[in-house]
Amino acid sequence: MTEKQTPSQISNINIQIDKLKQQIHENSEQIKKFIEKRDQLHEKVRKSREEINQLKVERDALNVRVKELKQQRDAVRVNVTPIMDEVKVLNDKIDALKKNLPRISRQELQQELDAIEWKISTTSLDLQEERRLIDNVKELETQLIGYKKIAIQHKKIKELIEHRKTFDAQADVYHKELTDIAKRSQDLHAVLMEKTSVMRRDRVEADGLHKSFITAKEQNNLMYEQIRLLISQATGIRLALRDQYHVRRKEDQVRRKEDDDKRKLEQAERAVKEQAIKEKIGSEAREKLNRGEKVSWDEFAMMLGDGEDSEAEA
């Protein structure tokens, strides 16, 4: 790993981390929406369940009432059966009586009877004729008895039919109330089924949102783990870079110390050489003075410097 590559790698890692953080933020915002919508649907499902339970109570109560009315209606209709049986018996009697009726109608018999009675009451008849007419009256009255018996049976039938109408009316009242309540029960049941269907759809949607929430949360956890790995990777690179820096710094320090030591050595060697030159010039200048020869100012200064050094050493 080179020093140029290291910052580039860290930069790329930081870019990846920023992208992951952005995705986590977007996921977190989406998770909030999932949770909010899911909780709203759960509340809606809860209210729907309460409404459905209340509708079931109302529907069941109506069904109980329908059952009661059916029993009451059927109980009334039971009373009709004996009446109709009796009507049938009377109709059979009428049929039997009709077999013995004369060929002429009741009206004709009555007209003939009325005519004979009128004749008897308004006409002077001899004894034999009167007896004959009286016998005719008796015969006609005998013949009319069958019609009278049939009339009596018809009257009884009419009374029975009227009595049956009372039961029918009562049964109709029960049946109408039963039908109305059954219709209300059916309407309630339809509403109940619709609400149940909506509740199921809301529950399925809420479950889907919850699954989406779990998936998004798992994705965030995976991205958090990726971020941790990237941070660990970046930390490792920085530590390696720091180690490289410390090694390079130590190498620089060693190199600088070597350079300083070399420079000091060179300075010392140069000083020794300069001192040797100074001493040589000063010694030569002193010898010139001892011989009475002239010396230059620099030679004189060298000589004095050499003397000062000697005095300093002394």
Side-chain angles (χ1 to χ4, degrees), residues 37-38 64 73 91 156 160 207 221 231 254 260 267 282:
K37 182 63 175 177
R38 179 202 64 186
V64 169
R73 180 199 63 188
N91 281 325
K156 289 181 180 180
L160 289 171
D207 292 342
N221 291 336
I231 290 174
V254 171
D260 288 343
Q267 288 176 351

Side-chain angles (χ1 to χ4, degrees), residues 3 238-254:
E3 294 182 3
R238 289 191 179 93
L239 289 174
L241 183 63
R242 186 187 64 182
D243 292 341
Q244 289 178 359
Y245 170 75
H246 287 316
V247 170
R248 188 171 62 252
R249 183 179 178 186
K250 189 174 290 184
E251 291 175 349
D252 289 343
Q253 289 175 347
V254 171

Side-chain angles (χ1 to χ4, degrees), residues 110-120:
Q110 188 64 50
Q111 289 176 351
E112 187 176 348
L113 177 61
D114 292 341
I116 294 172
E117 288 179 344
W118 172 259
K119 184 176 182 180
I120 292 172

Side-chain angles (χ1 to χ4, degrees), residues 66-108:
V66 166
K67 185 177 180 180
E68 292 174 352
L69 288 169
K70 282 184 178 180
Q71 291 174 345
Q72 292 173 342
R73 180 199 63 188
D74 294 342
V76 171
R77 286 178 174 175
V78 166
N79 295 323
V80 173
T81 302
I83 293 175
M84 297 312 297
D85 291 342
E86 190 173 352
V87 168
K88 184 177 182 304
V89 170
L90 293 175
N91 281 325
D92 291 341
K93 288 181 179 180
I94 290 172
D95 291 339
L97 290 170
K98 284 181 176 179
K99 292 179 180 179
N100 298 321
L101 291 176
R103 293 182 177 180
I104 62 175
S105 66
R106 180 180 180 179
Q107 184 179 2
E108 292 174 337

Side-chain angles (χ1 to χ4, degrees), residues 280-307:
K280 181 179 180 182
I281 294 172
S283 177
E284 291 176 352
R286 192 176 288 110
E287 290 177 357
K288 285 181 178 183
L289 287 175
N290 289 333
R291 290 194 302 268
E293 297 177 0
K294 292 181 179 181
V295 295
S296 66
W297 174 253
D298 291 334
E299 290 176 333
F300 182 72
M302 292 291 183
M303 182 188 68
L304 290 178
D306 181 49

